[in-house]
PDB file of all heavy atoms in Angstrom:
ATOM      1  N   LEU A  15       2.288-191.898 126.039  1.00 42.00           N
ATOM      2  CA  LEU A  15       2.626-190.829 125.103  1.00 42.00           C
ATOM      3  C   LEU A  15       3.818-190.013 125.573  1.00 42.00           C
ATOM      4  O   LEU A  15       4.684-189.676 124.807  1.00 42.00           O
ATOM      5  CB  LEU A  15       1.400-189.911 124.911  1.00 42.00           C
ATOM      6  CG  LEU A  15       0.187-190.656 124.352  1.00 42.00           C
ATOM      7  CD1 LEU A  15      -0.981-189.718 124.261  1.00 42.00           C
ATOM      8  CD2 LEU A  15       0.495-191.261 123.016  1.00 42.00           C
ATOM      9  N   LYS A  43      20.175-177.352  92.885  1.00 86.00           N
ATOM     10  CA  LYS A  43      18.776-176.937  92.768  1.00 86.00           C
ATOM     11  C   LYS A  43      18.208-176.463  94.099  1.00 86.00           C
ATOM     12  O   LYS A  43      16.994-176.328  94.252  1.00 86.00           O
ATOM     13  CB  LYS A  43      17.901-178.055  92.156  1.00 86.00           C
ATOM     14  CG  LYS A  43      17.810-179.308  93.001  1.00 86.00           C
ATOM     15  CD  LYS A  43      16.968-180.379  92.325  1.00 86.00           C
ATOM     16  CE  LYS A  43      15.504-180.150  92.407  1.00 86.00           C
ATOM     17  NZ  LYS A  43      14.733-181.348  92.039  1.00 86.00           N
ATOM     18  N   GLU A 132      29.863-166.629  87.395  1.00 83.00           N
ATOM     19  CA  GLU A 132      29.757-166.158  86.002  1.00 83.00           C
ATOM     20  C   GLU A 132      31.068-165.579  85.505  1.00 83.00           C
ATOM     21  O   GLU A 132      31.358-165.610  84.297  1.00 83.00           O
ATOM     22  CB  GLU A 132      28.690-165.070  85.914  1.00 83.00           C
ATOM     23  CG  GLU A 132      27.291-165.593  85.895  1.00 83.00           C
ATOM     24  CD  GLU A 132      26.288-164.461  85.982  1.00 83.00           C
ATOM     25  OE1 GLU A 132      26.617-163.412  86.568  1.00 83.00           O
ATOM     26  OE2 GLU A 132      25.204-164.646  85.467  1.00 83.00           O
ATOM     27  N   ARG A 226      24.044-188.311 114.367  1.00 96.00           N
ATOM     28  CA  ARG A 226      23.072-187.945 113.340  1.00 96.00           C
ATOM     29  C   ARG A 226      22.604-186.495 113.547  1.00 96.00           C
ATOM     30  O   ARG A 226      22.530-186.024 114.680  1.00 96.00           O
ATOM     31  CB  ARG A 226      21.824-188.848 113.401  1.00 96.00           C
ATOM     32  CG  ARG A 226      22.114-190.318 113.183  1.00 96.00           C
ATOM     33  CD  ARG A 226      20.828-191.090 112.954  1.00 96.00           C
ATOM     34  NE  ARG A 226      19.845-190.908 113.992  1.00 96.00           N
ATOM     35  CZ  ARG A 226      18.604-191.369 113.946  1.00 96.00           C
ATOM     36  NH1 ARG A 226      18.197-192.036 112.881  1.00 96.00           N
ATOM     37  NH2 ARG A 226      17.751-191.180 114.942  1.00 96.00           N
ATOM     38  N   ALA A 233       5.754-176.539 109.721  1.00 88.00           N
ATOM     39  CA  ALA A 233       5.031-175.494 108.984  1.00 88.00           C
ATOM     40  C   ALA A 233       4.814-174.280 109.855  1.00 88.00           C
ATOM     41  O   ALA A 233       4.628-173.174 109.359  1.00 88.00           O
ATOM     42  CB  ALA A 233       3.688-176.057 108.512  1.00 88.00           C
ATOM     43  N   ARG A 240       8.274-173.998 120.775  1.00 91.00           N
ATOM     44  CA  ARG A 240       7.750-174.831 121.847  1.00 91.00           C
ATOM     45  C   ARG A 240       8.606-176.101 122.019  1.00 91.00           C
ATOM     46  O   ARG A 240       8.971-176.477 123.128  1.00 91.00           O
ATOM     47  CB  ARG A 240       6.307-175.235 121.520  1.00 91.00           C
ATOM     48  CG  ARG A 240       5.621-176.085 122.608  1.00 91.00           C
ATOM     49  CD  ARG A 240       4.453-176.852 122.013  1.00 91.00           C
ATOM     50  NE  ARG A 240       4.888-177.758 120.970  1.00 91.00           N
ATOM     51  CZ  ARG A 240       4.270-177.897 119.795  1.00 91.00           C
ATOM     52  NH1 ARG A 240       3.237-177.187 119.524  1.00 91.00           N
ATOM     53  NH2 ARG A 240       4.749-178.753 118.895  1.00 91.00           N
ATOM     54  N   GLN A 244      10.666-177.442 125.202  1.00 89.00           N
ATOM     55  CA  GLN A 244      10.285-178.674 125.887  1.00 89.00           C
ATOM     56  C   GLN A 244      11.390-179.728 125.805  1.00 89.00           C
ATOM     57  O   GLN A 244      11.250-180.813 126.359  1.00 89.00           O
ATOM     58  CB  GLN A 244       9.006-179.246 125.289  1.00 89.00           C
ATOM     59  CG  GLN A 244       7.795-178.384 125.601  1.00 89.00           C
ATOM     60  CD  GLN A 244       6.513-179.033 125.099  1.00 89.00           C
ATOM     61  OE1 GLN A 244       6.563-179.895 124.220  1.00 89.00           O
ATOM     62  NE2 GLN A 244       5.406-178.601 125.622  1.00 89.00           N
ATOM     63  N   ASP A 428       3.007-160.638  93.591  1.00 75.00           N
ATOM     64  CA  ASP A 428       2.780-160.686  92.151  1.00 75.00           C
ATOM     65  C   ASP A 428       2.353-159.337  91.605  1.00 75.00           C
ATOM     66  O   ASP A 428       2.901-158.838  90.612  1.00 75.00           O
ATOM     67  CB  ASP A 428       1.642-161.684  91.838  1.00 75.00           C
ATOM     68  CG  ASP A 428       2.191-163.058  91.547  1.00 75.00           C
ATOM     69  OD1 ASP A 428       3.237-163.132  90.897  1.00 75.00           O
ATOM     70  OD2 ASP A 428       1.565-164.020  92.006  1.00 75.00           O
ATOM     71  N   ASN A 431       5.217-156.931  91.750  1.00 84.00           N
ATOM     72  CA  ASN A 431       6.166-157.233  90.678  1.00 84.00           C
ATOM     73  C   ASN A 431       5.649-156.735  89.338  1.00 84.00           C
ATOM     74  O   ASN A 431       6.398-156.244  88.508  1.00 84.00           O
ATOM     75  CB  ASN A 431       6.425-158.742  90.591  1.00 84.00           C
ATOM     76  CG  ASN A 431       7.643-159.151  91.412  1.00 84.00           C
ATOM     77  OD1 ASN A 431       8.605-158.388  91.508  1.00 84.00           O
ATOM     78  ND2 ASN A 431       7.599-160.306  92.003  1.00 84.00           N
ATOM     79  N   TYR A 435       7.820-154.247  87.219  1.00 87.00           N
ATOM     80  CA  TYR A 435       8.351-154.685  85.919  1.00 87.00           C
ATOM     81  C   TYR A 435       7.300-154.588  84.811  1.00 87.00           C
ATOM     82  O   TYR A 435       7.157-155.485  83.987  1.00 87.00           O
ATOM     83  CB  TYR A 435       8.909-156.099  86.029  1.00 87.00           C
ATOM     84  CG  TYR A 435      10.025-156.184  87.076  1.00 87.00           C
ATOM     85  CD1 TYR A 435       9.857-156.817  88.284  1.00 87.00           C
ATOM     86  CD2 TYR A 435      11.260-155.578  86.823  1.00 87.00           C
ATOM     87  CE1 TYR A 435      10.851-156.857  89.232  1.00 87.00           C
ATOM     88  CE2 TYR A 435      12.264-155.618  87.770  1.00 87.00           C
ATOM     89  CZ  TYR A 435      12.052-156.255  88.964  1.00 87.00           C
ATOM     90  OH  TYR A 435      13.057-156.295  89.897  1.00 87.00           O
ATOM     91  N   ASP A 454      12.429-155.582 100.650  1.00 93.00           N
ATOM     92  CA  ASP A 454      13.754-155.816 101.210  1.00 93.00           C
ATOM     93  C   ASP A 454      14.633-156.606 100.253  1.00 93.00           C
ATOM     94  O   ASP A 454      14.153-157.212  99.301  1.00 93.00           O
ATOM     95  CB  ASP A 454      13.643-156.638 102.511  1.00 93.00           C
ATOM     96  CG  ASP A 454      13.245-158.082 102.255  1.00 93.00           C
ATOM     97  OD1 ASP A 454      12.089-158.294 101.833  1.00 93.00           O
ATOM     98  OD2 ASP A 454      14.072-158.981 102.422  1.00 93.00           O
ATOM     99  N   ASP A 477      15.212-152.826  90.678  1.00 93.00           N
ATOM    100  CA  ASP A 477      13.783-152.543  90.814  1.00 93.00           C
ATOM    101  C   ASP A 477      13.532-151.050  91.071  1.00 93.00           C
ATOM    102  O   ASP A 477      12.410-150.592  91.043  1.00 93.00           O
ATOM    103  CB  ASP A 477      13.141-153.399  91.905  1.00 93.00           C
ATOM    104  CG  ASP A 477      13.890-153.313  93.231  1.00 93.00           C
ATOM    105  OD1 ASP A 477      14.773-152.467  93.363  1.00 93.00           O
ATOM    106  OD2 ASP A 477      13.583-154.116  94.141  1.00 93.00           O
TER     107      ASP A 477
ATOM    108  N   ASP B  37       8.226-163.016  88.710  1.00 65.00           N
ATOM    109  CA  ASP B  37       8.844-163.355  89.989  1.00 65.00           C
ATOM    110  C   ASP B  37      10.308-163.712  89.871  1.00 65.00           C
ATOM    111  O   ASP B  37      11.040-163.652  90.846  1.00 65.00           O
ATOM    112  CB  ASP B  37       8.118-164.559  90.618  1.00 65.00           C
ATOM    113  CG  ASP B  37       6.964-164.082  91.477  1.00 65.00           C
ATOM    114  OD1 ASP B  37       6.879-162.871  91.680  1.00 65.00           O
ATOM    115  OD2 ASP B  37       6.195-164.914  91.916  1.00 65.00           O
ATOM    116  N   ILE B  39      12.466-162.097  88.333  1.00 57.00           N
ATOM    117  CA  ILE B  39      13.292-160.909  88.127  1.00 57.00           C
ATOM    118  C   ILE B  39      14.046-160.514  89.376  1.00 57.00           C
ATOM    119  O   ILE B  39      15.213-160.166  89.344  1.00 57.00           O
ATOM    120  CB  ILE B  39      12.411-159.755  87.625  1.00 57.00           C
ATOM    121  CG1 ILE B  39      11.954-160.110  86.209  1.00 57.00           C
ATOM    122  CG2 ILE B  39      13.171-158.444  87.592  1.00 57.00           C
ATOM    123  CD1 ILE B  39      10.836-159.289  85.676  1.00 57.00           C
ATOM    124  N   ARG B  40      13.395-160.629  90.548  1.00 56.00           N
ATOM    125  CA  ARG B  40      14.103-160.258  91.790  1.00 56.00           C
ATOM    126  C   ARG B  40      14.986-161.390  92.267  1.00 56.00           C
ATOM    127  O   ARG B  40      15.161-161.597  93.447  1.00 56.00           O
ATOM    128  CB  ARG B  40      13.092-159.877  92.859  1.00 56.00           C
ATOM    129  CG  ARG B  40      12.729-158.404  92.818  1.00 56.00           C
ATOM    130  CD  ARG B  40      11.738-158.068  93.881  1.00 56.00           C
ATOM    131  NE  ARG B  40      12.340-157.952  95.207  1.00 56.00           N
ATOM    132  CZ  ARG B  40      12.674-156.828  95.807  1.00 56.00           C
ATOM    133  NH1 ARG B  40      12.495-155.682  95.183  1.00 56.00           N
ATOM    134  NH2 ARG B  40      13.186-156.813  97.006  1.00 56.00           N
ATOM    135  N   LYS B  44      20.859-163.514  85.394  1.00 64.00           N
ATOM    136  CA  LYS B  44      21.218-162.792  84.165  1.00 64.00           C
ATOM    137  C   LYS B  44      20.083-162.990  83.146  1.00 64.00           C
ATOM    138  O   LYS B  44      19.393-164.016  83.161  1.00 64.00           O
ATOM    139  CB  LYS B  44      22.519-163.370  83.600  1.00 64.00           C
ATOM    140  CG  LYS B  44      23.748-162.798  84.306  1.00 64.00           C
ATOM    141  CD  LYS B  44      25.003-163.339  83.692  1.00 64.00           C
ATOM    142  CE  LYS B  44      25.257-162.684  82.334  1.00 64.00           C
ATOM    143  NZ  LYS B  44      26.510-163.167  81.722  1.00 64.00           N
ATOM    144  N   SER B  83      10.358-178.297  92.913  1.00 79.00           N
ATOM    145  CA  SER B  83      11.171-179.508  93.095  1.00 79.00           C
ATOM    146  C   SER B  83      11.680-180.047  91.763  1.00 79.00           C
ATOM    147  O   SER B  83      12.550-180.906  91.761  1.00 79.00           O
ATOM    148  CB  SER B  83      10.357-180.580  93.810  1.00 79.00           C
ATOM    149  OG  SER B  83       9.334-181.050  92.953  1.00 79.00           O
ATOM    150  N   ILE B 152      -2.989-177.921 120.938  1.00 89.00           N
ATOM    151  CA  ILE B 152      -1.528-177.881 120.979  1.00 89.00           C
ATOM    152  C   ILE B 152      -1.056-177.248 122.294  1.00 89.00           C
ATOM    153  O   ILE B 152      -0.195-177.778 122.984  1.00 89.00           O
ATOM    154  CB  ILE B 152      -0.954-177.120 119.757  1.00 89.00           C
ATOM    155  CG1 ILE B 152      -1.173-177.932 118.481  1.00 89.00           C
ATOM    156  CG2 ILE B 152       0.535-176.837 119.942  1.00 89.00           C
ATOM    157  CD1 ILE B 152      -0.786-177.198 117.219  1.00 89.00           C
ATOM    158  N   ALA B 156       0.040-180.495 124.085  1.00 88.00           N
ATOM    159  CA  ALA B 156       1.451-180.574 123.726  1.00 88.00           C
ATOM    160  C   ALA B 156       2.288-179.595 124.543  1.00 88.00           C
ATOM    161  O   ALA B 156       3.445-179.853 124.820  1.00 88.00           O
ATOM    162  CB  ALA B 156       1.633-180.271 122.228  1.00 88.00           C
ATOM    163  N   THR B 158       1.218-177.420 127.769  1.00 83.00           N
ATOM    164  CA  THR B 158       1.115-177.471 129.229  1.00 83.00           C
ATOM    165  C   THR B 158       1.320-178.879 129.783  1.00 83.00           C
ATOM    166  O   THR B 158       2.144-179.109 130.655  1.00 83.00           O
ATOM    167  CB  THR B 158      -0.269-176.961 129.654  1.00 83.00           C
ATOM    168  OG1 THR B 158      -0.478-175.681 129.068  1.00 83.00           O
ATOM    169  CG2 THR B 158      -0.372-176.835 131.161  1.00 83.00           C
ATOM    170  N   TRP B 161       1.721-184.114 126.889  1.00 87.00           N
ATOM    171  CA  TRP B 161       1.332-185.520 126.757  1.00 87.00           C
ATOM    172  C   TRP B 161       1.461-185.995 125.312  1.00 87.00           C
ATOM    173  O   TRP B 161       1.768-187.147 125.069  1.00 87.00           O
ATOM    174  CB  TRP B 161      -0.145-185.687 127.164  1.00 87.00           C
ATOM    175  CG  TRP B 161      -0.372-185.725 128.631  1.00 87.00           C
ATOM    176  CD1 TRP B 161       0.560-185.572 129.622  1.00 87.00           C
ATOM    177  CD2 TRP B 161      -1.623-185.929 129.307  1.00 87.00           C
ATOM    178  NE1 TRP B 161      -0.022-185.670 130.855  1.00 87.00           N
ATOM    179  CE2 TRP B 161      -1.379-185.887 130.689  1.00 87.00           C
ATOM    180  CE3 TRP B 161      -2.915-186.125 128.845  1.00 87.00           C
ATOM    181  CZ2 TRP B 161      -2.384-186.052 131.622  1.00 87.00           C
ATOM    182  CZ3 TRP B 161      -3.926-186.275 129.774  1.00 87.00           C
ATOM    183  CH2 TRP B 161      -3.666-186.251 131.159  1.00 87.00           C
ATOM    184  N   LEU B 162       1.139-185.095 124.399  1.00 89.00           N
ATOM    185  CA  LEU B 162       1.051-185.496 122.988  1.00 89.00           C
ATOM    186  C   LEU B 162       1.936-184.624 122.117  1.00 89.00           C
ATOM    187  O   LEU B 162       2.144-183.457 122.427  1.00 89.00           O
ATOM    188  CB  LEU B 162      -0.405-185.368 122.507  1.00 89.00           C
ATOM    189  CG  LEU B 162      -1.402-186.355 123.059  1.00 89.00           C
ATOM    190  CD1 LEU B 162      -2.810-185.847 122.833  1.00 89.00           C
ATOM    191  CD2 LEU B 162      -1.210-187.701 122.374  1.00 89.00           C
ATOM    192  N   GLY B 171      13.621-188.784 113.272  1.00 82.00           N
ATOM    193  CA  GLY B 171      14.730-189.739 113.391  1.00 82.00           C
ATOM    194  C   GLY B 171      14.384-191.035 114.066  1.00 82.00           C
ATOM    195  O   GLY B 171      15.257-191.857 114.274  1.00 82.00           O
ATOM    196  N   SER B 268       1.904-179.386 110.908  1.00 90.00           N
ATOM    197  CA  SER B 268       2.984-179.813 110.033  1.00 90.00           C
ATOM    198  C   SER B 268       2.766-181.242 109.536  1.00 90.00           C
ATOM    199  O   SER B 268       3.692-182.042 109.473  1.00 90.00           O
ATOM    200  CB  SER B 268       4.349-179.728 110.739  1.00 90.00           C
ATOM    201  OG  SER B 268       4.573-178.433 111.219  1.00 90.00           O
ATOM    202  N   LYS B 283       4.174-170.117  94.331  1.00 77.00           N
ATOM    203  CA  LYS B 283       3.523-169.965  93.037  1.00 77.00           C
ATOM    204  C   LYS B 283       3.922-171.079  92.081  1.00 77.00           C
ATOM    205  O   LYS B 283       4.317-170.859  90.952  1.00 77.00           O
ATOM    206  CB  LYS B 283       3.826-168.586  92.439  1.00 77.00           C
ATOM    207  CG  LYS B 283       2.888-167.537  92.968  1.00 77.00           C
ATOM    208  CD  LYS B 283       3.124-166.210  92.341  1.00 77.00           C
ATOM    209  CE  LYS B 283       4.176-165.415  93.026  1.00 77.00           C
ATOM    210  NZ  LYS B 283       4.014-165.168  94.435  1.00 77.00           N
TER     211      LYS B 283
END
Side-chain angles (χ1 to χ4, degrees):
Chain A
L15 301 177
K43 64 182 283 193
E132 281 173 332
R226 299 193 306 173
R240 182 201 61 225
Q244 291 185 340
D428 267 321
N431 267 326
Y435 300 109
D454 71 292
D477 52 10
Chain B
D37 271 351
I39 292 165
R40 271 180 77 100
K44 279 183 73 179
S83 69
I152 290 174
T158 307
W161 281 2
L162 289 164
S268 303
K283 276 183 273 304

